[in-house]
Amino acid sequence: MDQLIYAMIGGGQGAFIGAVHRMAAALDQQATLVAGALSSTPEKSLASARALALPPDRSYPTWQAMLEAEAARPADQRLDFVSIVTPNDTHYPIARAFVDAGFNVILDKPMVHTSKQAADLVAAVERHGVVLAVTYNYTGYPLVREAARLVRTGALGTIRKVFVEYHQGWLATRLEASGQKQADWRTDPARSGIAGAVGDIGSHAENLVATITGLTIESLCADATTFVEGRRLDDDASVLLRFTGGARGVLTCSQVCVGQENNLSIRVYGTEGALAWRQEEPNRLEFTTRDGPRQVLTRGSASLGPEAAAATRLPAGHPEAFIEAFANIYRGAFEAIRARKAAAATSTERGGRVFQPDSNLTYPNVHDGARGVRFIEGVIASSSAGGVWTPLDNPSQ
Amino acid sequence: MDQLIYAMIGGGQGAFIGAVHRMAAALDQQATLVAGALSSTPEKSLASARALALPPDRSYPTWQAMLEAEAARPADQRLDFVSIVTPNDTHYPIARAFVDAGFNVILDKPMVHTSKQAADLVAAVERHGVVLAVTYNYTGYPLVREAARLVRTGALGTIRKVFVEYHQGWLATRLEASGQKQADWRTDPARSGIAGAVGDIGSHAENLVATITGLTIESLCADATTFVEGRRLDDDASVLLRFTGGARGVLTCSQVCVGQENNLSIRVYGTEGALAWRQEEPNRLEFTTRDGPRQVLTRGSASLGPEAAAATRLPAGHPEAFIEAFANIYRGAFEAIRARKAAAATSTERGGRVFQPDSNLTYPNVHDGARGVRFIEGVIASSSAGGVWTPLDNPSQ
Amino acid sequence: MDQLIYAMIGGGQGAFIGAVHRMAAALDQQATLVAGALSSTPEKSLASARALALPPDRSYPTWQAMLEAEAARPADQRLDFVSIVTPNDTHYPIARAFVDAGFNVILDKPMVHTSKQAADLVAAVERHGVVLAVTYNYTGYPLVREAARLVRTGALGTIRKVFVEYHQGWLATRLEASGQKQADWRTDPARSGIAGAVGDIGSHAENLVATITGLTIESLCADATTFVEGRRLDDDASVLLRFTGGARGVLTCSQVCVGQENNLSIRVYGTEGALAWRQEEPNRLEFTTRDGPRQVLTRGSASLGPEAAAATRLPAGHPEAFIEAFANIYRGAFEAIRARKAAAATSTERGGRVFQPDSNLTYPNVHDGARGVRFIEGVIASSSAGGVWTPLDNPSQ
Amino acid sequence: MDQLIYAMIGGGQGAFIGAVHRMAAALDQQATLVAGALSSTPEKSLASARALALPPDRSYPTWQAMLEAEAARPADQRLDFVSIVTPNDTHYPIARAFVDAGFNVILDKPMVHTSKQAADLVAAVERHGVVLAVTYNYTGYPLVREAARLVRTGALGTIRKVFVEYHQGWLATRLEASGQKQADWRTDPARSGIAGAVGDIGSHAENLVATITGLTIESLCADATTFVEGRRLDDDASVLLRFTGGARGVLTCSQVCVGQENNLSIRVYGTEGALAWRQEEPNRLEFTTRDGPRQVLTRGSASLGPEAAAATRLPAGHPEAFIEAFANIYRGAFEAIRARKAAAATSTERGGRVFQPDSNLTYPNVHDGARGVRFIEGVIASSSAGGVWTPLDNPSQ
């Protein structure tokens, strides 16, 4: 398979998520990093490019310089996509600029800061027909896709209740006061936006619910809290959910749960069956039918559906994990990018949602990103009002 | 140790919980069942008494007949206590009558139907100085007592967040329509009161939180639901909790979680540590300090405190379970009953809360029962109003 | 149900297993302890009897005194059985004497010291037609019985491989040097016999294999070790097993596995399916068919067979554990004792093996006990010879 | 970091392990595949090279052609290493030829067929001073390295007992009869050598024991079995181990354990502590000190040593798995290859064992490979003799 070429914005020395994106892009040997504007500081940007052995002529001090130079390159040197892994506050201007210049974009979550920005970005993506993937990476796990398939095929009957949790403990103290980089920007409203834990991890939880259940949140009632003194954003939230159609849910996210590492889990109960999955042990999915014994479905086993199989690289018992799931998001975007190339630049964005009727493209797209932003706004609005039921706007796509 | 003698009200043929109470009373060979009014139907009552080989002169057709006859017996034949295991609606009149006649009482939960009844029963118990134990049996587990001790001794620091769940699946269909006895009365407002799942299992969850954390619920916001069509009471609820002092919590209870058996669990997160316990695997307690590895504390191990040790019959690795925990509630009540006998009838009720400063008596008492009833009323009030924050009344005891 | 009456030999103050037997006998309220010779020291024996509030005229200084006096009582005061819970070395003389006097006996394991004694006891039991139960208590667990049923009904196909382990850590240091009573007699050849860990826990493992699989050990190759310096008996052993018919197995037992509490587990693999069970989490049984997902069968669930159901007291999710399993052995013996009473003393022993064709009696009987003794002798013989394959004698019963 | 370039031998279309090696090599973006002789069939070899988009002038029909052509290239085009992923029977001739031509080699396990070949290859590697890594990939897991560190630093005291298991179920039926490629060559003595399960997975178990404990097997007693009728090699074995110094062990491997996927696990018990690790949940390591509670150590947590940290790419709770562990073996080899380049071709092989005193190179080297071959021979010799204790030769390295 011929190589895609890409550039990265952000993700220089000291960053965490940039390296993850690069491993995810490299794993299947489909893409090569050829350009970068790796830091908001020009010197650090160039130094980071050298550390990654990027060609000097494609090592840029700023993303604006990159945009100008790369947009001017001839078609046979054209970047297939750019990966944007900067802090949240710069997502919108950077992504918007590259989309407007016709580049495909892979973008970290939460997609942008406000639902207004989100709507604008949706419109831009649709106008330019580019591929935009949002790295809600947890939906790349094969057993998340199997869970979604089980729901879609009716194995759970009508869904009644959903529990989703995302609990971490690393912000149980005021780590940002020590200057720790990850804590610093995540607790800074200027860079993180209106929400702390809700935006950083609660949005993953929302996306997991949407991806697996396909349900729409109609309204929610949230109690977001800042437990650590001096912190400027929430570090914990509990949210009651009412879904269209009558299902109910509870979403909790916290970064002050001492001892919890990255405990994202979901349990879904329907009239006919139930399932449970936990990110920290991603190779097993519990599935129960009414009155039957609990079954432990394992990644790679023959009984799973084609969606899980397509996201699987190794046989059962040879565990896959975070990087492989992340690479599945990239792989889904690659497929869409190749399809767009094949169809020439005239085709329009067809989206990448799991199980899209007319597509097997499997990556969270700009609509998922926009819904996530509306969710964050809804939670903060509800909580700020003292914990009142707040409807969520769900524009038809 | 000389035997206590007791009578049972309810718990005849076909009942489930009566047999559990009898095993709990028998396990330590401290108490003998000598009398019974085992059913609301006089013929069934007498037939059940015969099946249990009770002496004919202490086999009663009704609890009223028992009360009259037993109250008239001389002191050396005096019942040491009565166990009341009838459906909820009869708890108040029966318990009240026996308390007023000066009998010690062991009573199933929820204690009574209304907070008015609860307050009256509290007053009666205090007036007569009898022992009244409410069988919130899950607090009898040794590791629940260890969990409470860890909180009391500061191992968790200041508590921030509590998650408690009680999930079952046996009412996922309209089982009551089949005439199944357990489902029938639990879904009948006349016998169960204003709440279904909230009263039957949510109240256990509330008691577990109070026992372990010692926290007081200041207000709550509840979303109770009836998922099964035709059912007359809630079968699911999610409740946000705000505790005095700033801690937050989430309590969920459901009887429609397909595949769940009796999954009561609690997780408590504080500034310095965390713990997690699950009723279905009651011999292990997870405990984590900030930055330390997760520890798995096991029942019977040398590192546990005296409260857990006192509730333990077997060495580590020789699992104890539901009946033994239930028997610990009985054992705590026995101790109080023997203490009252020793002190003559003039002593007043000193309560039986775990870690009561002036006492090692360890059973849930009438105040726990009353608080549980107020909790149920609060949840239903909040939910009926559409899910609004509702303060809980917490009279000083 | 009218009460059985029984006497206990051994199990006085300071003993562990005596209290377990008494709880097991009491749980179902079918038997009352009325007599005792509770210690090998006459004064302790009588003091222990007082502590248990036994009637003075049935509190004996020695088992010989008890035998003489109780054998002389009239039929309506006749003991229904005696429970023998003394150290191993006295099992044979005491059990033999009571059997010869026509008493039913419940006896701790290992049954006796030598296969010669075992054969003699088998003959005596058969001659006198009494009930003799050996408390291989782990076979009382409902899911052990379900496991045996799954094997018998062919759910596993032909068994190929069995792994059984019994690992403890409490003897990892020379605890006996401290005078700790349990460690003291278990490491003393005079009281424990030729084997330490092999006799104390390895014999349970052997019994579990035989009960679940029904397989016969044809030969074995053992490596028994004494790791703790100064100890006089083995504290660890690994044994390769060859079963009649070609199945293979590995049995390991150890009391020096630091951190292990009472970890008895078994895994059985057949041509069509597999199962796994672990004593420390006794309410779940893993079952897998070839190519199907792993299933978690739980005690009390509707899909289990009648043998498990008959051994179950509580609904699924309300865990049962060690004492309840022990009580199931007693319950099985009670049933046989009542059957013998009903049939008058002329009937002959029909044994109590699980799934005995002509019987639903479910307790390990004298033949299980004898087989266990031959197993211990075989392991020690093989290991003493340097670890050579040693055939086991398996007399037809 | 500048790219290493490499060639692959074997691993063409339809192969499994070749793709794993390529992902492992790609993950850290340190190496690029530039040449290949990907099949034993020339046409398939070239077709596979086209599918991987290899340059035509470095796509070879046979490994011999590759060797000749690549050895003739100038230094600046010199392959940094070759990865050999062919069936076992060709390991020796291919590896030997490339070693003799001065190439660094990464080689699948078992390294070669006979201990004679192994000794010859050791000598050749030492003579030529090349890097030779054997992909005992499971030792690449961070927590395996932490386990080894805990043993080395004395946290377990003196080791007494080791249990290691490698259980799979995929060969429970005669899958090779269906022509399934993986089953076919693994059960064919011509390609697999004298052992089936023992060579394929038992050798991984041996390597895991050696890596973690550092113990030397002095003698063993094995019972290898072929359960599936018509199969030509063992599909199951149980092995008793005696280590130099007195520790004992049990190693079992099986490919007929229905329902088991890739269940490699190890438990080590010492005088002071114990540890347990399981490949299917590789991000947790259980560690217990005598009398302390069981601790669950997790990959990425701050308490781990530098060896685990160096093998870790993601924070705690973001699971890593099989491919990342495999990539750690490659990374260790890369480090050695770069060191050799830096030191010029005059340096001699310094080995790559974990914790080598004078090195932080962390890959299984030719000595590990040779020891593994001797282990396989010892097991088969012992078992073929009926299961007798057989000494293992352990030449000093």
Side-chain angles (χ1 to χ4, degrees):
Chain A
M1 202 174 275
D2 56 310
Q3 292 286 302
L4 301 175
I5 58 172
Y6 77 105
M8 180 165 280
I9 301 169
Q13 292 163 323
F16 153 60
I17 202 68
V20 173
H21 280 254
R22 290 192 295 270
M23 290 189 281
L27 184 68
D28 291 326
Q29 306 140 68
Q30 290 198 42
T32 304
L33 179 66
V34 298
L38 299 163
S39 170
S40 54
T41 313
E43 303 75 46
K44 280 185 61 182
S45 196
L46 295 173
S48 295
R50 278 192 298 275
L52 290 173
L54 290 187
D57 68 323
R58 293 185 109 164
S59 299
Y60 299 99
T62 65
W63 66 264
Q64 292 91 343
M66 176 195 284
L67 176 59
E68 187 178 341
E70 291 292 336
R73 288 192 181 261
D76 66 339
Q77 296 176 24
R78 177 74 168 185
L79 291 169
D80 289 302
F81 65 96
V82 295
S83 281
I84 303 173
V85 297
T86 56
N88 303 350
D89 59 318
T90 61
H91 284 189
Y92 179 71
I94 304 176
R96 180 65 196 276
F98 278 86
V99 166
D100 283 347
F103 287 93
N104 301 309
V105 167
I106 296 180
L107 182 57
D108 228 319
K109 47 52 56 190
M111 187 169 77
V112 292
H113 262 192
T114 69
S115 55
K116 172 69 174 64
Q117 292 174 342
D120 288 350
L121 193 57
V122 166
V125 165
E126 291 183 336
R127 197 159 54 237
H128 294 284
V130 300
V131 172
L132 186 144
V134 183
T135 51
Y136 283 115
N137 52 288
Y138 298 111
T139 63
Y141 278 111
L143 290 180
V144 168
R145 295 183 177 184
E146 177 68 8
R149 189 189 72 87
L150 287 169
V151 172
R152 296 303 183 285
T153 58
L156 275 72
T158 301
I159 294 177
R160 288 170 167 170
K161 188 95 183 217
V162 181
F163 300 96
V164 65
E165 304 181 342
Y166 199 152
H167 296 171
Q168 301 178 328
W170 67 295
L171 291 177
T173 60
R174 203 170 159 214
L175 186 59
E176 60 269 38
S178 74
Q180 204 260 15
K181 182 173 173 167
Q182 300 299 323
D184 183 37
W185 76 258
R186 278 182 171 82
T187 58
D188 175 4
R191 284 172 287 172
S192 261
I194 57 172
V198 169
D200 191 28
I201 57 174
S203 60
H204 273 298
E206 179 278 330
N207 186 262
L208 191 65
V209 171
T211 299
I212 290 180
T213 70
L215 292 174
T216 300
I217 300 174
E218 195 169 83
S219 63
L220 54 78
C221 174
D223 194 20
T225 312
T226 304
F227 278 115
V228 173
E229 205 162 344
R231 182 161 291 161
R232 291 177 291 163
L233 290 170
D234 62 277
D235 48 27
D236 177 279
S238 302
V239 188
L240 302 182
L241 305 173
R242 291 179 182 157
F243 297 99
T244 302
R248 306 294 170 101
V250 182
L251 181 154
T252 61
C253 59
S254 183
Q255 295 179 314
V256 299
C257 286
V258 163
Q260 295 295 296
E261 296 182 337
N262 198 40
N263 200 354
L264 170 64
S265 75
I266 187 166
R267 292 168 286 170
V268 183
Y269 296 95
T271 51
E272 304 301 321
L275 56 82
W277 179 82
R278 207 167 82 78
Q279 191 270 149
E280 293 186 354
E281 294 186 7
N283 294 286
R284 46 180 287 155
L285 171 67
E286 293 188 358
F287 173 62
T288 315
T289 55
R290 222 177 56 215
D291 305 328
R294 183 149 43 97
Q295 299 175 17
V296 181
L297 309 182
T298 51
R299 186 201 49 77
S301 60
S303 65
L304 306 187
E307 297 83 1
T312 294
R313 290 171 182 80
L314 299 177
H318 300 70
E320 296 187 57
F322 187 92
I323 293 173
E324 291 76 35
F326 216 112
N328 284 335
I329 304 295
Y330 265 81
R331 188 194 268 185
F334 291 169
E335 199 181 341
I337 290 166
R338 291 185 193 279
R340 184 178 171 232
K341 281 176 88 163
T346 58
S347 79
T348 57
E349 154 76 0
R350 298 177 305 149
R353 216 80 60 71
V354 180
F355 306 109
Q356 182 131 323
D358 63 343
S359 165
N360 63 350
L361 305 178
T362 48
Y363 61 89
N365 68 12
V366 73
H367 300 293
D368 295 276
R371 195 189 58 245
V373 173
R374 294 192 301 270
F375 169 77
I376 295 169
E377 288 184 346
V379 168
I380 299 303
S382 168
S383 186
S384 301
V388 299
W389 287 93
T390 302
L392 281 201
D393 183 34
N394 288 290
S396 61
Q397 303 163 14
Chain B
M1 202 173 272
D2 55 309
Q3 293 286 300
L4 300 175
I5 58 172
Y6 76 104
M8 180 165 280
I9 300 169
Q13 291 163 323
F16 153 60
I17 203 68
V20 172
H21 279 253
R22 290 191 295 269
M23 289 189 282
L27 185 68
D28 290 326
Q29 306 139 65
Q30 289 197 42
T32 303
L33 178 67
V34 299
L38 300 163
S39 169
S40 54
T41 312
E43 300 76 45
K44 280 185 61 183
S45 195
L46 295 172
S48 295
R50 277 191 299 276
L52 290 173
L54 291 186
D57 67 322
R58 295 183 108 164
S59 300
Y60 300 97
T62 65
W63 65 263
Q64 291 91 342
M66 176 195 285
L67 176 59
E68 186 179 341
E70 291 293 334
R73 287 192 182 261
D76 66 339
Q77 295 177 24
R78 178 76 170 185
L79 291 170
D80 289 301
F81 65 95
V82 295
S83 282
I84 302 173
V85 296
T86 56
N88 302 350
D89 59 319
T90 60
H91 284 188
Y92 179 70
I94 303 177
R96 179 67 196 276
F98 278 86
V99 166
D100 283 347
F103 287 93
N104 300 309
V105 167
I106 296 180
L107 181 56
D108 228 320
K109 47 51 57 188
M111 186 170 77
V112 292
H113 262 194
T114 68
S115 55
K116 172 68 174 67
Q117 292 174 343
D120 288 350
L121 192 58
V122 166
V125 164
E126 291 183 337
R127 198 159 52 237
H128 294 284
V130 299
V131 173
L132 186 145
V134 183
T135 51
Y136 284 116
N137 51 290
Y138 298 112
T139 64
Y141 278 111
L143 290 178
V144 168
R145 296 181 177 185
E146 177 67 9
R149 189 188 72 86
L150 287 169
V151 172
R152 296 305 182 285
T153 58
L156 275 72
T158 302
I159 293 177
R160 286 169 167 170
K161 188 94 181 218
V162 181
F163 300 97
V164 65
E165 304 181 342
Y166 199 151
H167 296 171
Q168 301 177 328
W170 67 295
L171 292 177
T173 60
R174 203 171 159 212
L175 186 59
E176 60 268 38
S178 74
Q180 203 260 14
K181 181 172 174 169
Q182 301 298 324
D184 184 37
W185 76 259
R186 277 183 172 81
T187 59
D188 175 5
R191 283 172 287 172
S192 262
I194 57 173
V198 169
D200 191 28
I201 58 176
S203 59
H204 273 298
E206 179 277 330
N207 186 262
L208 191 65
V209 171
T211 300
I212 290 181
T213 69
L215 292 174
T216 300
I217 300 173
E218 196 169 84
S219 63
L220 54 78
C221 174
D223 194 19
T225 312
T226 303
F227 278 115
V228 173
E229 204 162 345
R231 182 161 290 160
R232 291 176 291 162
L233 291 170
D234 62 276
D235 47 27
D236 177 278
S238 301
V239 188
L240 303 181
L241 305 173
R242 290 179 182 156
F243 298 98
T244 302
R248 306 295 170 101
V250 183
L251 181 155
T252 60
C253 59
S254 183
Q255 295 179 313
V256 299
C257 285
V258 163
Q260 295 295 297
E261 295 180 340
N262 198 40
N263 200 354
L264 171 65
S265 75
I266 187 166
R267 292 168 288 170
V268 182
Y269 296 95
T271 51
E272 304 301 322
L275 57 82
W277 179 82
R278 208 168 81 78
Q279 192 270 149
E280 293 186 354
E281 294 187 7
N283 294 286
R284 45 180 289 156
L285 171 67
E286 294 187 0
F287 173 62
T288 315
T289 55
R290 222 176 56 216
D291 305 329
R294 183 149 42 98
Q295 299 175 17
V296 181
L297 310 182
T298 50
R299 186 200 50 77
S301 59
S303 65
L304 306 187
E307 298 82 1
T312 294
R313 290 171 183 80
L314 300 177
H318 301 68
E320 297 187 56
F322 188 92
I323 294 173
E324 290 76 35
F326 215 111
N328 284 335
I329 304 296
Y330 265 82
R331 189 194 268 186
F334 291 169
E335 199 181 340
I337 290 167
R338 291 185 193 279
R340 184 181 172 231
K341 280 176 89 163
T346 59
S347 80
T348 57
E349 155 75 1
R350 296 177 307 148
R353 216 81 60 73
V354 180
F355 306 110
Q356 181 132 324
D358 62 344
S359 166
N360 62 351
L361 305 178
T362 50
Y363 61 89
N365 67 13
V366 73
H367 300 294
D368 295 278
R371 195 189 58 248
V373 173
R374 294 192 301 270
F375 170 76
I376 295 168
E377 288 184 346
V379 168
I380 299 303
S382 168
S383 186
S384 301
V388 299
W389 287 92
T390 302
L392 280 202
D393 183 35
N394 289 289
S396 62
Q397 301 163 14
Chain C
M1 201 173 274
D2 55 309
Q3 293 286 300
L4 299 175
I5 58 173
Y6 77 104
M8 179 165 279
I9 300 169
Q13 292 164 322
F16 153 60
I17 202 68
V20 172
H21 279 254
R22 289 192 296 270
M23 289 189 282
L27 185 67
D28 291 325
Q29 306 139 65
Q30 289 197 41
T32 305
L33 178 67
V34 299
L38 299 163
S39 170
S40 54
T41 312
E43 301 75 45
K44 280 186 61 182
S45 195
L46 295 172
S48 295
R50 276 191 299 276
L52 291 173
L54 290 187
D57 67 321
R58 295 184 108 164
S59 300
Y60 298 98
T62 66
W63 66 263
Q64 292 90 345
M66 177 195 283
L67 176 59
E68 187 179 339
E70 291 293 336
R73 287 191 183 262
D76 66 340
Q77 296 176 25
R78 177 77 169 185
L79 292 170
D80 289 302
F81 65 96
V82 294
S83 282
I84 302 172
V85 296
T86 56
N88 302 349
D89 59 318
T90 60
H91 284 188
Y92 179 71
I94 303 177
R96 180 68 195 276
F98 278 86
V99 166
D100 283 347
F103 287 93
N104 300 310
V105 167
I106 296 180
L107 181 56
D108 228 319
K109 47 51 58 190
M111 187 170 78
V112 292
H113 262 192
T114 69
S115 55
K116 172 68 173 64
Q117 292 173 341
D120 288 350
L121 192 57
V122 167
V125 165
E126 292 183 336
R127 198 159 52 239
H128 294 284
V130 299
V131 173
L132 186 144
V134 183
T135 51
Y136 283 115
N137 51 289
Y138 298 111
T139 62
Y141 278 111
L143 290 179
V144 168
R145 296 182 177 185
E146 177 67 9
R149 189 189 72 86
L150 287 169
V151 172
R152 297 303 182 284
T153 58
L156 274 73
T158 302
I159 293 176
R160 287 170 167 169
K161 189 93 182 219
V162 180
F163 300 97
V164 66
E165 305 180 343
Y166 198 150
H167 296 171
Q168 301 178 329
W170 67 294
L171 291 177
T173 60
R174 203 172 158 212
L175 187 60
E176 60 269 37
S178 74
Q180 204 259 14
K181 182 173 174 171
Q182 301 297 324
D184 184 39
W185 76 259
R186 278 183 171 80
T187 58
D188 175 5
R191 284 171 288 172
S192 261
I194 57 173
V198 169
D200 192 28
I201 58 175
S203 59
H204 272 299
E206 178 277 329
N207 185 261
L208 191 65
V209 171
T211 300
I212 290 180
T213 69
L215 292 174
T216 300
I217 300 174
E218 196 169 83
S219 62
L220 55 78
C221 174
D223 194 20
T225 312
T226 303
F227 279 115
V228 173
E229 205 163 343
R231 182 161 289 162
R232 292 177 289 163
L233 291 171
D234 63 277
D235 49 27
D236 177 279
S238 301
V239 189
L240 303 181
L241 305 173
R242 291 180 182 156
F243 298 98
T244 302
R248 305 295 170 102
V250 182
L251 181 153
T252 60
C253 58
S254 182
Q255 295 179 313
V256 299
C257 285
V258 163
Q260 295 295 297
E261 296 180 338
N262 199 40
N263 200 354
L264 171 64
S265 75
I266 187 166
R267 292 167 287 169
V268 182
Y269 296 95
T271 51
E272 305 301 321
L275 57 83
W277 179 83
R278 207 168 81 78
Q279 190 270 149
E280 293 186 356
E281 293 187 8
N283 294 285
R284 46 180 288 154
L285 171 67
E286 293 188 359
F287 173 63
T288 315
T289 55
R290 222 177 55 216
D291 306 327
R294 183 148 43 96
Q295 299 175 17
V296 181
L297 309 182
T298 51
R299 186 201 50 77
S301 60
S303 64
L304 306 187
E307 298 82 1
T312 295
R313 290 171 182 79
L314 300 177
H318 301 68
E320 296 187 57
F322 188 92
I323 294 173
E324 291 75 34
F326 216 112
N328 284 335
I329 305 296
Y330 265 83
R331 190 194 266 186
F334 290 169
E335 198 181 341
I337 289 166
R338 291 185 193 281
R340 184 179 172 232
K341 281 176 88 164
T346 59
S347 79
T348 57
E349 155 76 358
R350 296 177 308 149
R353 215 81 59 72
V354 180
F355 305 110
Q356 182 132 324
D358 63 343
S359 165
N360 63 349
L361 305 177
T362 49
Y363 61 89
N365 67 13
V366 73
H367 300 292
D368 295 277
R371 195 188 58 246
V373 173
R374 294 192 301 269
F375 169 77
I376 295 168
E377 287 184 346
V379 168
I380 299 303
S382 168
S383 186
S384 301
V388 300
W389 287 93
T390 302
L392 280 201
D393 184 34
N394 288 288
S396 61
Q397 302 163 11
Chain D
M1 201 173 274
D2 56 309
Q3 292 287 302
L4 301 174
I5 59 172
Y6 77 104
M8 181 165 279
I9 301 169
Q13 292 164 322
F16 153 60
I17 202 69
V20 173
H21 279 254
R22 290 192 295 271
M23 289 190 281
L27 184 67
D28 291 326
Q29 306 140 67
Q30 289 198 41
T32 304
L33 178 67
V34 298
L38 300 162
S39 169
S40 54
T41 313
E43 302 74 47
K44 280 185 61 181
S45 195
L46 296 172
S48 295
R50 278 191 297 277
L52 290 173
L54 291 186
D57 67 322
R58 295 184 107 163
S59 300
Y60 300 98
T62 65
W63 65 264
Q64 291 90 343
M66 177 195 284
L67 176 59
E68 187 178 343
E70 291 293 335
R73 288 192 182 260
D76 66 339
Q77 295 176 23
R78 177 76 170 187
L79 291 170
D80 290 302
F81 65 95
V82 295
S83 282
I84 303 173
V85 297
T86 55
N88 302 350
D89 60 317
T90 60
H91 284 188
Y92 179 71
I94 304 176
R96 180 66 195 276
F98 279 86
V99 166
D100 282 347
F103 287 93
N104 301 309
V105 167
I106 295 180
L107 182 56
D108 229 319
K109 46 53 54 189
M111 187 170 77
V112 292
H113 261 191
T114 68
S115 55
K116 172 70 172 66
Q117 292 174 341
D120 288 350
L121 193 57
V122 167
V125 165
E126 291 183 336
R127 197 159 54 237
H128 294 284
V130 299
V131 173
L132 186 143
V134 184
T135 52
Y136 284 114
N137 52 289
Y138 298 112
T139 64
Y141 278 110
L143 290 179
V144 168
R145 295 181 178 185
E146 176 68 8
R149 189 189 70 88
L150 287 169
V151 172
R152 297 303 183 286
T153 58
L156 276 70
T158 302
I159 293 177
R160 288 170 167 169
K161 188 95 184 218
V162 181
F163 300 97
V164 65
E165 304 182 343
Y166 199 151
H167 296 171
Q168 300 179 327
W170 66 295
L171 291 177
T173 60
R174 204 172 157 211
L175 186 58
E176 60 269 37
S178 75
Q180 205 261 14
K181 182 173 173 167
Q182 300 298 325
D184 184 37
W185 77 259
R186 278 183 172 81
T187 57
D188 175 5
R191 283 172 288 171
S192 262
I194 57 173
V198 169
D200 191 29
I201 58 175
S203 60
H204 273 298
E206 179 278 329
N207 185 262
L208 191 65
V209 171
T211 300
I212 290 180
T213 70
L215 292 174
T216 300
I217 300 173
E218 197 169 82
S219 63
L220 55 76
C221 175
D223 194 20
T225 312
T226 304
F227 279 115
V228 173
E229 206 163 344
R231 183 161 288 160
R232 290 176 291 162
L233 291 170
D234 63 276
D235 48 27
D236 176 279
S238 302
V239 189
L240 303 181
L241 305 173
R242 291 179 182 157
F243 298 98
T244 302
R248 306 294 171 101
V250 182
L251 181 154
T252 60
C253 59
S254 183
Q255 295 179 314
V256 299
C257 286
V258 162
Q260 294 296 296
E261 296 181 338
N262 198 41
N263 200 354
L264 171 64
S265 75
I266 187 166
R267 292 168 287 171
V268 183
Y269 295 95
T271 51
E272 304 302 320
L275 57 80
W277 179 81
R278 208 167 81 78
Q279 192 270 150
E280 294 186 356
E281 295 186 7
N283 294 284
R284 47 180 289 156
L285 171 67
E286 293 188 358
F287 173 61
T288 315
T289 55
R290 221 177 55 217
D291 305 329
R294 184 148 43 97
Q295 300 175 18
V296 181
L297 309 181
T298 52
R299 187 201 49 77
S301 59
S303 65
L304 305 187
E307 298 82 1
T312 295
R313 290 171 182 80
L314 299 177
H318 300 69
E320 297 188 55
F322 188 92
I323 293 172
E324 290 76 34
F326 215 112
N328 284 335
I329 304 298
Y330 265 82
R331 189 194 268 186
F334 291 168
E335 199 181 341
I337 290 166
R338 292 185 193 279
R340 184 179 173 232
K341 281 176 90 164
T346 59
S347 81
T348 56
E349 154 76 2
R350 296 179 305 149
R353 217 81 59 73
V354 180
F355 306 108
Q356 183 133 321
D358 64 343
S359 164
N360 62 351
L361 305 177
T362 49
Y363 60 91
N365 67 14
V366 73
H367 300 293
D368 295 277
R371 195 189 58 246
V373 173
R374 294 192 302 271
F375 169 76
I376 295 168
E377 288 184 346
V379 168
I380 299 302
S382 167
S383 186
S384 300
V388 299
W389 287 93
T390 302
L392 280 201
D393 183 34
N394 288 289
S396 61
Q397 304 164 11

